[in-house]
Amino acid sequence: MTDAESTAQHTVVVDVWFDAVCPYTWVTSRWLTAAAAQRRVELRWHLMSLAVLNAGKDMGAEEAAEMADSLAAGRLLAAVAQEQGEDLLGAVYTAMGERYHRRAKRMDHDLASAALAECGADPTLADAMEDSSYDDHVERSHAAGQRALGDTGGSPIVSVDGTAFFGPVLMSIPGSDEAASLFDAVTALGHANSFFQIQRPRSGAPDVG
């Protein structure tokens, strides 16, 4: 039996800690959802926070604005998880990402309300973007992702059957065939106790589709 055949017969549990404003994470998430349509995958979504990760650091205006978006999006998604259930996280993230990443909409109340309504969630939860009471949920979920990784890492953190990686970082969303074969490869690496790291140079911004 090949690795691909083994993967196809085994339900792979994939936990994803994500920050909704990270473009690289958006690309990785679209790859994972495409792969899940072709493989037996249980995708579980959790919050991580670039705003928490970078708290207290000096940064320029552009990065500071991104961290403000991260904070607002994290609060919104924490509200979804707490008030309507974690099962909705993936759908709301997708609806937000289509607007924020693909349509370049602002991370504001209008974006949040529309994304929530699209998913059948309560659109008034958009008010959570300014509600600091949800910060504790974000921080706890973020800390769980760092513990799973066993190190300090950014977004995304992907755990395959209990083995966590930072990444994989993709520069574009793979087509369906490549999505499945890449998933098989990452799963194989996750199951290989001897594997540590692989990296290659990159340049430019990701193609968010």
Side-chain angles (χ1 to χ4, degrees), residues 27-155:
V27 173
T28 297
S29 72
R30 297 312 91 194
W31 157 61
L32 284 170
T33 54
Q38 301 181 73
R39 295 289 186 262
R40 296 179 60 179
V41 181
E42 180 185 352
L43 270 179
R44 305 191 299 201
W45 302 95
H46 314 277
L47 302 180
M48 75 85 61
S49 174
L50 293 174
V52 172
L53 187 68
N54 292 294
K57 295 182 180 178
D58 291 332
M59 59 186 71
E62 184 175 346
E63 188 177 3
E66 184 181 21
M67 293 307 101
D69 284 352
S70 169
L71 180 64
R75 289 171 174 173
L76 172 64
L77 289 162
V80 170
Q82 286 187 204
E83 311 300 338
Q84 306 221 270
E86 291 192 349
D87 288 348
L88 265 180
L89 279 179
V92 175
Y93 170 43
T94 294
M96 291 171 65
E98 289 288 341
R99 292 165 171 81
Y100 185 79
H101 295 292
R102 286 187 167 149
R103 303 181 206 168
K105 300 290 187 181
R106 294 179 59 191
M107 184 61 69
D108 59 14
H109 195 280
D110 289 342
L111 180 151
S113 297
L116 290 164
E118 180 181 314
C119 300
D122 181 0
T124 67
L125 288 177
D127 294 339
M129 299 175 85
E130 293 85 35
D131 189 343
S132 62
S133 68
Y134 291 105
D135 290 350
D136 183 62
H137 181 106
V138 176
E139 290 167 7
R140 284 187 283 108
S141 183
H142 174 86
Q146 302 297 296
R147 287 195 301 271
L149 183 62
D151 199 356
T152 300
S155 181

Side-chain angles (χ1 to χ4, degrees), residues 6-14 39-43 161:
S6 178
T7 298
Q9 294 183 19
H10 164 68
T11 298
V12 181
V13 177
V14 178
R39 295 289 186 262
R40 296 179 60 179
V41 181
E42 180 185 352
L43 270 179
D161 282 339

